[in-house]
Amino acid sequence: MTIASTTQLICFAVLAFTVVAGALGVVLLPNVVYAAFLLGGVFLSVAGLYLMLNASFVAAAQVLVYVGAVNVLILFAIMLVNKREDLSAIPGLALRRVLSGLVCGGLFALLIRVAFTTPWGSGPEPVGDEATIRIGEHLFSDYLLPFELASVLLLMAMIGAIVLARRDVFSQDIATGESVDQGLIEKARTPLLLDRSGR
Amino acid sequence: MDLSLSSGIPLQAFLVLAAVLFCTGVWGLINSRNAVRVLMSIELMLNAVNINLMAFSSYLDGQLIRGQVFAIFVITVAAAEAAVGLAILLSLYRNRDTVDMERFNLLRW
Amino acid sequence: MSLPGALLTAANPAVDAIGSGTGVSSLALQLNAGAIAPEAAVLLALVACLLVDLAGEKAASHWVPPLSYAGLGGSLVLLALQWSPADLQPSFLGSFLADNLAIAFRAVVAASTLITLMLSWRYVERSGTPVGEYAAILLAATLGAMFLCGSTDLVSIFVSLETLSVASYLLSGYMKRDARSSEAALKYLLVGSAAAAVFLYGASLLYGLTGGSTSLEAVGAALETSASPIAALALVFVLATVAFKIAAVPFHQWTPDVYEGSPTPVVAFLSVGSKAAGFALALRILVGCFGSFDEQWKLLFTVLAVLSMVLGNVVALAQTSMKRMLAYSSIGQAGFVMIGLVCGTEDGYAAMVLYMAAYLFMNLGAFACIILFSLRTGSDRISDYAGLYQKDPLITLGLSLCLLSLGGIPPMLGFFGKIYLFFAGWADGQYLLVVVGLLTSVVSIYYYISVIKMMVVKEPQEASDVVKAYPAISWSLPGLPSLRAALVGCVIVTAVGGILSSPLFTWASQSVSGTPILQATLG
């Protein structure tokens, strides 16, 4: 075993450990702020794994988009909805957690089986540093259509997020001048939001 | 030098890591009571997918690296989805004053 | 047509660069961007709506409707011009294929958006939400759904699926002051994103299985030679996403809540346009890729179809809200369409296409009536429809005809669609499915008729309070004439289309005969 391979083995072990530990922290820690910070740690370790796989461009994108945008967005959301609430206890919660844990364990066993029984074959030597050029070529040739469509998706997500998160709504119907109320239409419907936690 | 970088570790190591991350995400999706944490669990699942894609791309598709391009699309879409999700969450929080999933009566199956 | 041309010239050097790496075969492929001209028309309308919206809400409410009609109408015309191309070439280097199946489903999607928009204007203005953004987001959803119908590459499928989904989440939550709408949006988003993540995991396994290719053709070829558990796992993951999109039981839990909470016109789109895209995806992935596993997926789909038909139609009996009833009935209708998918014969596929087209008109006609009723009275409880015949004959007639058609009563359009599905199923030996379909049809007729009975039979003094206080009928407000046009149009097609349905039959069978992936499985 050469020094290089030992080094990468250690790197992989450390990164894999931080990914798994961070992910468990995200789903298990009671405090959601810590969970969000651990999520940032998971994103960073995943970026490290990408570097090990010779994908520097995607690693940079991962850091910029996930850590820089998504994680910060999540932290902002936590700050904006930070009312401290005591979650009402639910009977059988522990049992539900164990059962769902078993289901996820079964899923995991299945995924592992697939990973080890499939003959994956082997591919050509990785391109390494030329990856960025290749990605650019792909985006402007065989992935041109999804690339253009992604721009529509982002535009629409931006507009929609602004419309939904903005506080103001029109106070009157622009055609009739009557005052409007979004609950007005179908007001007699059975409310979807009856608090059914008591049942 | 970078050509030899990933040769020491088998492909399966990455796949197992991705499977662990994916299953953790699924568990969090089912059990989280805070809506923000559910969104975080979905991000974990998407990251697991990306690890898979990147590993296949490096080990099996080293020249054309389509998996890396796929991963970039996943990252893009995940960012858009997170933004929309948090906007919806904010508008719901204004109406309902809670982020407790149990009071949205969700994911009961 | 200058835009596709510019794309073509811009992309050619890159094509050469890739071609030099992979061999000459890529060079032979052309970008062939004319195939997405219908989508380009929708995109232009989307951008135009956003630009007009900058001029203020007054200008938007005046200009957005004609602009979006122009875009969608142009798109439908361009689709008609594409029909049965002389030489079918993949476009965008294998990302997209405009075969007849794709054209048929894209037309259903575009038509459903067109009718949905005609129904929407009054509802959106009445609720005080911005019109321009509403149209833009709905057009973006249409764009995603149309691309989904023709995508032949895992990456394109994923991006178009997400465009459709994210736009649908936004539309569900569009009544942001109404907590029900926000909650519907959050539920839809969480379940939908989880489904997308599961689909992606399946897609990543398929990418690994092909050894580095994302085109459906390569996936199909790789799956033919592999019998390992990976194929089963990928099949289950992909099937879960498809079933989520078409709301098949047991992946339907989101449907009733989302349908009840979302704005009604959005529900109209989700129940037709989004579902049509889901069926197109199902055909393309299951028939195109998992052809060597067709026993397995047909068995799974048989189970899904039986569950959907039984649960959808039985639970619909107990509903008191019109929207919720239509939500469950749409689950049942999806079960009927799945019969055609399970058959896998030429007639089966053609019956699917025909039934989707019929469903477009009858379901949107029913939604037009519901929207008009809720605009006039503010209610959608079934009991509030009692005695409506006295006050509003148009809604009563339209809703009755559309519901009879949904139930499959001759000589409506829905009867011919359903009988064709059952005929195809019987001819292929799917006796269980056909028998369950017939029995649940009877159940569905029962609850459709009970609504009609409620409207027609009740004496004036038995009418509900809502109907007793029914406002005078007026069509003068902007947005109402287009609603009336859509309602009358849908009802006429539903009622007369059955008798004059032979062009529809020809259209449906051509859409199967002009589709190479379907022909390949038929042998």
Side-chain angles (χ1 to χ4, degrees):
Chain A
M1 187 174 266
T2 62
I3 294 179
S5 65
T6 318
T7 319
Q8 46 168 302
L9 206 61
I10 293 171
C11 282
F12 180 81
V14 170
L15 288 172
F17 174 76
T18 42
V19 166
V20 174
L24 288 176
V26 168
V27 296
L28 290 175
L29 279 186
N31 189 331
V32 76
V33 180
Y34 293 157
F37 277 109
L38 278 178
L39 186 69
V42 174
F43 290 157
L44 281 174
S45 323
V46 171
L49 287 171
Y50 294 168
L51 281 180
M52 288 186 66
L53 289 165
N54 304 316
S56 43
F57 181 78
V58 186
Q62 166 92 6
V63 172
L64 288 176
V65 178
Y66 266 122
V67 185
V70 174
N71 205 30
V72 173
L73 204 63
I74 286 176
L75 281 169
F76 268 112
I78 292 173
M79 287 192 324
L80 288 170
V81 295
N82 65 347
K83 196 177 67 132
R84 187 163 287 285
E85 36 184 333
D86 292 319
L87 301 178
S88 53
I90 294 175
L93 185 66
L95 181 70
R96 213 170 88 185
R97 289 181 158 224
V98 171
L99 279 181
S100 54
L102 286 179
V103 170
C104 291
L107 179 67
F108 178 67
L110 206 64
L111 295 180
I112 295 295
R113 174 149 180 258
V114 163
F116 282 100
T117 54
T118 309
W120 293 113
S122 62
E125 286 290 306
V127 286
D129 287 341
E130 270 180 52
T132 313
I133 301 170
R134 285 292 152 79
I135 292 171
E137 286 170 357
H138 275 302
L139 288 182
F140 284 98
S141 61
D142 48 353
Y143 293 122
L144 181 63
L145 183 68
F147 181 69
E148 299 293 343
L149 189 56
S151 62
V152 177
L153 169 66
L154 289 174
L155 172 72
M156 188 254 319
M158 185 176 76
I159 292 169
I162 292 170
V163 170
L164 286 191
R166 201 168 58 176
R167 268 176 195 279
D168 58 317
V169 290
F170 305 125
S171 55
Q172 54 176 248
D173 186 329
I174 50 170
T176 60
E178 292 171 38
S179 63
V180 296
D181 172 11
Q182 299 189 344
L184 206 67
I185 297 180
E186 293 147 33
K187 57 182 178 285
R189 264 195 285 160
T190 335
L192 190 64
L193 290 173
L194 280 179
D195 195 349
R196 296 173 208 170
S197 55
R199 268 202 260 156
Chain B
M1 159 232 161
D2 50 9
L3 289 187
S4 62
L5 249 178
S6 58
S7 58
I9 304 162
L11 170 63
Q12 278 81 359
F14 285 95
L15 299 186
V16 170
L17 181 63
V20 173
L21 199 54
F22 190 77
C23 293
T24 316
V26 172
W27 193 86
L29 182 77
I30 299 172
N31 287 299
S32 296
R33 296 194 57 184
N34 187 322
V36 182
R37 203 195 297 264
V38 180
L39 283 172
M40 292 196 256
S41 304
I42 290 171
E43 299 300 335
L44 288 182
M45 289 164 73
L46 291 174
N47 267 275
V49 170
N50 272 352
I51 292 178
N52 251 357
L53 286 171
M54 299 297 285
F56 286 133
S57 166
S58 175
Y59 283 85
L60 307 176
D61 191 22
Q63 283 299 313
L64 285 175
I65 54 167
R66 292 201 180 89
Q68 293 197 19
V69 186
F70 204 156
I72 288 173
F73 281 113
V74 176
I75 292 175
T76 312
V77 169
E81 223 170 47
V84 168
L86 295 173
I88 291 173
L89 191 66
L90 271 189
S91 101
L92 182 57
Y93 181 73
R94 286 199 196 116
N95 288 324
R96 295 269 287 142
D97 210 28
T98 179
V99 288
D100 182 2
M101 297 304 296
E102 292 301 327
R103 295 185 54 198
F104 303 147
N105 208 4
L106 181 68
L107 294 175
R108 288 264 173 85
W109 57 60
Chain C
M1 290 303 284
S2 65
L3 177 70
L7 285 179
L8 191 63
T9 46
N12 263 338
V15 176
D16 293 346
I18 289 280
S20 64
T22 56
V24 196
S25 64
S26 320
L27 279 174
L29 296 170
Q30 288 287 310
L31 212 50
N32 194 11
I36 62 155
E39 281 82 358
V42 176
L43 182 61
L44 282 178
L46 192 165
V47 175
C49 286
L50 284 177
L51 289 178
V52 164
D53 194 51
L54 293 176
E57 197 58 27
K58 279 267 183 213
S61 73
H62 193 253
W63 283 106
V64 165
L67 281 172
S68 43
Y69 296 157
L72 288 163
S75 167
L76 284 169
V77 170
L78 288 167
L79 281 170
L81 292 177
Q82 280 187 1
W83 187 250
S84 289
D87 59 329
L88 185 62
Q89 294 290 333
S91 11
F92 289 92
L93 304 168
S95 297
F96 191 83
L97 184 69
D99 51 14
N100 275 358
L101 181 79
I103 296 173
F105 276 103
R106 282 149 85 203
V108 170
V109 171
S112 77
T113 311
L114 183 62
I115 298 174
T116 304
L117 280 174
M118 291 171 83
L119 306 179
S120 304
W121 307 121
R122 191 70 211 115
Y123 191 101
V124 173
E125 282 175 7
R126 187 74 190 85
S127 56
T129 41
V131 171
E133 284 89 344
Y134 173 82
I137 298 174
L138 190 56
L139 288 173
T142 313
L143 208 58
M146 288 173 78
F147 276 122
L148 187 59
C149 294
S151 293
T152 51
D153 174 283
L154 290 174
V155 179
S156 314
I157 288 178
F158 167 65
V159 176
S160 43
L161 185 73
E162 282 301 291
T163 309
L164 169 62
S165 305
V166 174
S168 309
Y169 311 149
L170 288 168
L171 288 170
S172 295
Y174 208 69
M175 303 289 137
K176 56 182 170 177
R177 282 290 169 83
D178 185 350
R180 290 168 304 191
S181 177
S182 307
E183 183 172 322
L186 188 71
K187 288 184 176 187
Y188 197 13
L189 177 111
L190 295 179
V191 183
S193 314
V198 169
F199 170 78
L200 274 176
Y201 203 93
S204 76
L205 290 178
L206 290 175
Y207 170 70
L209 187 69
T210 57
S213 176
T214 56
S215 78
L216 290 187
E217 213 174 321
V219 171
L223 280 171
E224 264 176 25
T225 52
S226 81
S228 44
I230 185 172
L233 193 70
L235 174 64
V236 170
F237 278 7
V238 168
L239 199 116
T241 309
V242 169
F244 165 78
K245 214 61 210 163
I246 58 183
V249 179
F251 300 94
H252 70 289
Q253 269 94 346
W254 60 277
T255 322
D257 288 351
V258 169
Y259 279 20
E260 185 174 358
S262 307
T264 319
V266 173
V267 181
F269 174 76
L270 289 181
S271 68
V272 180
S274 175
K275 230 167 229 196
F279 276 111
L281 175 68
L283 279 173
R284 220 167 267 290
I285 287 198
L286 295 176
V287 179
C289 288
F290 287 91
S292 45
F293 292 87
D294 65 343
E295 265 179 36
Q296 284 89 336
W297 73 254
K298 278 179 179 167
L299 181 69
L300 286 173
F301 254 94
T302 309
V303 175
L304 292 183
V306 170
L307 286 177
S308 302
M309 287 189 284
V310 171
L311 190 129
N313 285 316
V314 171
V315 180
L317 281 173
Q319 300 306 313
T320 54
S321 149
M322 199 73 187
K323 268 160 90 178
R324 223 173 156 87
M325 186 200 89
L326 278 182
Y328 278 107
S329 109
S330 85
I331 294 172
Q333 302 280 349
F336 295 134
V337 180
M338 278 187 259
I339 296 178
L341 187 62
V342 173
C343 290
T345 56
E346 184 137 19
D347 277 334
Y349 298 136
M352 275 181 79
V353 177
L354 181 75
Y355 200 76
M356 277 320 293
Y359 185 63
L360 161 78
F361 292 107
M362 53 202 192
N363 207 34
L364 289 182
F367 269 106
C369 299
I370 296 175
I371 291 170
L372 193 54
F373 185 77
S374 66
L375 280 173
R376 290 208 173 124
T377 64
S379 163
D380 83 328
R381 270 201 307 227
I382 294 175
S383 55
D384 284 345
Y385 282 74
L388 188 63
Y389 174 62
Q390 311 285 339
K391 300 279 184 164
D392 197 334
L394 178 68
I395 292 185
T396 312
L397 180 72
L399 193 56
S400 305
L401 289 177
C402 290
L403 290 182
L404 287 176
S405 178
L406 281 169
I409 303 276
M412 305 295 166
L413 187 55
F415 167 73
F416 291 92
K418 220 175 233 179
I419 211 75
Y420 193 20
L421 275 172
F422 291 158
F423 163 75
W426 194 264
D428 190 49
Q430 309 287 344
Y431 304 117
L432 171 71
L433 281 175
V434 176
V435 169
V436 172
L438 283 171
L439 289 178
T440 51
S441 285
V442 174
V443 176
S444 76
I445 289 170
Y446 175 75
Y447 62 78
Y448 290 133
I449 296 266
S450 68
V451 174
I452 298 169
K453 208 177 104 195
M454 184 80 85
M455 290 189 295
V456 178
V457 175
K458 297 260 173 168
E459 298 293 318
Q461 62 271 17
E462 287 180 278
S464 65
D465 298 340
V466 171
V467 168
K468 279 179 184 155
Y470 205 73
I473 293 170
S474 138
W475 297 100
S476 58
L477 288 176
L480 282 181
S482 72
L483 205 172
R484 178 172 56 179
L487 195 164
V488 172
C490 285
V491 170
I492 288 178
V493 173
T494 307
V496 184
I499 303 158
L500 307 170
S501 59
S502 85
L504 263 180
F505 277 100
T506 325
W507 177 74
S509 64
Q510 273 184 5
S511 70
V512 177
S513 62
T515 306
I517 58 156
L518 298 183
Q519 291 301 318
T521 58
L522 296 173

